[in-house]
């Protein structure tokens, strides 16, 4: 039970750092929603209530996925994993109509960049790719950087 509590505390710490690194704008505009759950997790860990801590950490992961993606009027990224396949799709607004190489970086919940995925968009800026990828359970962020545009999407692997 002590070991499980330590693992949950470590996972919670990773998620807090992850939120700081990748979700500042989304977190700040939804701070009240996050703060209640974060407080509940701290209390559960303090009381060594592992089942409550597990449940609240799962709720925090769902909130990250829902509230932290960064969107833009000139770019969107949609990322999710299903059956060991990573689905990446989206579009970027471009002034010049020709296909370009774009890159999406994948970071795990400890903040480590674990993947760099090269994509090719079409002339109108749309891209859609399915890749065979196997990720460990946890929360991930996919970040697309194109000139001065930054967009991200968060996804969870169960």
């Amino acid at each position: 039970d002590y070991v499980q509590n330590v693992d949950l505390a470590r996972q919670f710490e990773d998620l807090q750092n992850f939120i700081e690194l990748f979700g500042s704008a989304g977190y700040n505009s939804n701070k009240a929603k996050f703060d209640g759950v974060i407080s509940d997790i701290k209390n559960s860990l303090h009381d060594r209530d592992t089942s409550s801590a597990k449940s609240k950490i799962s709720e925090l992961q769902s909130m990250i996925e829902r509230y932290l993606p960064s969107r833009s009027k000139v770019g969107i990224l949609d990322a999710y994993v299903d059956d060991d396949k990573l689905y990446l799709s989206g579009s970027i607004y471009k002034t010049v109509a020709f296909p370009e190489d774009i890159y999406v970086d994948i970071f795990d919940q400890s903040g480590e960049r674990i993947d760099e995925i090269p994509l090719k968009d079409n002339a109108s800026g749309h891209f859609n790719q399915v890749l065979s990828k196997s990720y460990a359970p946890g929360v991930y962020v996919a970040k697309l950087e194109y000139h001065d545009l930054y967009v991200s999407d968060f996804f969870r692997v169960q």
Side-chain angles (χ1 to χ4, degrees), residues 106-151:
I106 308 290
F107 296 86
D108 67 14
Q109 71 185 32
S110 68
E112 293 287 316
R113 185 173 86 165
I114 58 167
D115 231 335
E116 178 186 63
I117 299 166
L119 301 169
K120 185 75 110 178
D121 65 354
N122 64 19
S124 59
H126 297 278
F127 57 90
N128 191 0
Q129 189 140 359
V130 180
L131 303 144
S132 287
K133 294 284 180 180
S134 183
Y135 296 117
V139 178
Y140 296 83
V141 62
K143 286 185 77 173
L144 180 142
E145 187 178 327
Y146 175 78
H147 300 298
D148 58 354
L149 168 71
Y150 298 91
V151 290

Side-chain angles (χ1 to χ4, degrees), residues 23-154:
S24 55
Y27 172 75
N28 289 334
S29 57
N30 293 285
K31 193 170 176 0
K33 292 176 182 141
F34 278 92
D35 287 352
V37 174
I38 287 170
S39 176
D40 289 347
I41 293 169
K42 287 177 180 173
N43 291 335
S44 297
L45 290 170
H46 180 267
D47 298 341
R48 293 203 171 108
D49 181 351
T50 53
S51 94
S52 173
K54 239 188 228 175
S55 159
K56 288 295 177 180
I57 285 172
S58 181
E59 185 178 340
L60 181 62
Q61 290 174 325
S62 293
M63 292 174 72
I64 288 169
E65 208 174 5
R66 180 173 179 188
Y67 296 113
L68 297 191
S70 60
R71 305 279 186 236
S72 165
K73 290 182 173 117
V74 295
I76 189 160
L77 173 64
D78 183 38
Y80 66 93
V81 168
D82 186 30
D83 199 25
D84 282 345
K85 287 185 179 37
L86 173 64
Y87 294 80
L88 291 172
S89 61
S91 68
I92 44 181
Y93 172 77
K94 301 185 338 181
T95 53
V96 183
F98 64 90
E100 291 181 86
D101 294 324
I102 51 179
Y103 295 90
V104 173
D105 290 324
I106 308 290
F107 296 86
D108 67 14
Q109 71 185 32
S110 68
E112 293 287 316
R113 185 173 86 165
I114 58 167
D115 231 335
E116 178 186 63
I117 299 166
L119 301 169
K120 185 75 110 178
D121 65 354
N122 64 19
S124 59
H126 297 278
F127 57 90
N128 191 0
Q129 189 140 359
V130 180
L131 303 144
S132 287
K133 294 284 180 180
S134 183
Y135 296 117
V139 178
Y140 296 83
V141 62
K143 286 185 77 173
L144 180 142
E145 187 178 327
Y146 175 78
H147 300 298
D148 58 354
L149 168 71
Y150 298 91
V151 290
S152 65
D153 194 22
F154 293 78

